[in-house]
Amino acid sequence: ALLESLARTEPWLPHVHQLLARLARDGGTAEGRSRARTLAKQELQVDPTSDVAHACLGVMAKREGQLDAAAELFEKALARQPNNTGHLLTLASCYLSKGSGEHVTRVIELCGRAWQLDPRETGGFLESIKENLNVDLIQAARIAEVDPWIA
């Protein structure tokens, strides 16, 4: 209620819309996702560089199977916050979900950067990929860390 009141009385207050958008998005209902989309777009009007608003829209696009749109939104989020492990891994996940081998080099690059920033969080993601897809990106990420030209 407090955030909604702030959004109405102070619509240009940074991050109010993005916080509301994340809350609505994570509610899981169609109405919540629609509200989240509107709020994230309002956040982008206030702050066109908001990585969180781009990421919020990207998560919704990914959940709806719009993988190209999701990847584009996460590329924008990542351009604004290049060291955000969540953005790196979610973008890698978007490319992996597309199912083609077209983005393998980019996935390895993203996982390698994420590994350098946060091996623990990245390790869990990579273990999940290995278990579910039988692809060992852990080894590829380690190789990319040592010698990016090999990957």
Side-chain angles (χ1 to χ4, degrees):
L2 176 62
L3 287 175
E4 289 178 354
S5 175
L6 282 172
R8 280 191 302 277
T9 60
E10 304 291 335
W12 301 109
L13 186 66
H15 311 301
V16 169
H17 294 104
Q18 78 176 233
L19 291 171
L20 282 169
R22 290 172 84 175
L23 289 171
R25 179 198 77 204
D26 294 338
T29 66
E31 181 181 325
R33 288 188 301 274
S34 175
R35 177 138 171 72
R37 187 172 281 107
T38 299
L39 291 164
K41 288 178 180 179
Q42 287 175 345
E43 172 67 16
L44 289 173
Q45 289 175 351
V46 174
D47 179 8
T49 67
S50 172
D51 67 300
V52 176
H54 281 102
C56 183
L57 291 168
V59 166
M60 288 185 292
K62 187 173 187 291
R63 286 181 181 167
E64 294 167 354
Q66 300 171 7
L67 299 175
D68 289 331
E72 183 179 325
L73 288 159
F74 272 100
E75 288 284 4
K76 288 179 181 180
L78 194 57
R80 286 148 181 86
Q81 286 293 326
N83 294 327
N84 184 307
T85 307
H87 295 345
L88 288 163
L89 296 178
T90 307
L91 180 55
S93 175
C94 288
Y95 287 136
L96 286 169
S97 296
K98 291 176 79 169
S100 70
E102 166 184 357
H103 300 286
V104 171
T105 302
R106 182 72 170 131
V107 168
I108 291 170
E109 174 199 344
L110 293 165
C111 290
R113 283 178 49 205
W115 182 267
Q116 290 172 337
L117 294 167
D118 188 344
R120 183 178 301 170
E121 181 181 353
T122 304
F125 172 80
L126 297 176
E127 281 295 333
S128 174
I129 296 303
K130 185 176 180 180
E131 183 178 309
N132 293 305
L133 299 178
N134 199 27
V135 175
D136 190 355
L137 289 174
I138 294 172
Q139 188 64 30
R142 287 180 179 155
I143 290 169
E145 181 181 52
V146 174
D147 187 352
W149 294 106
I150 293 174

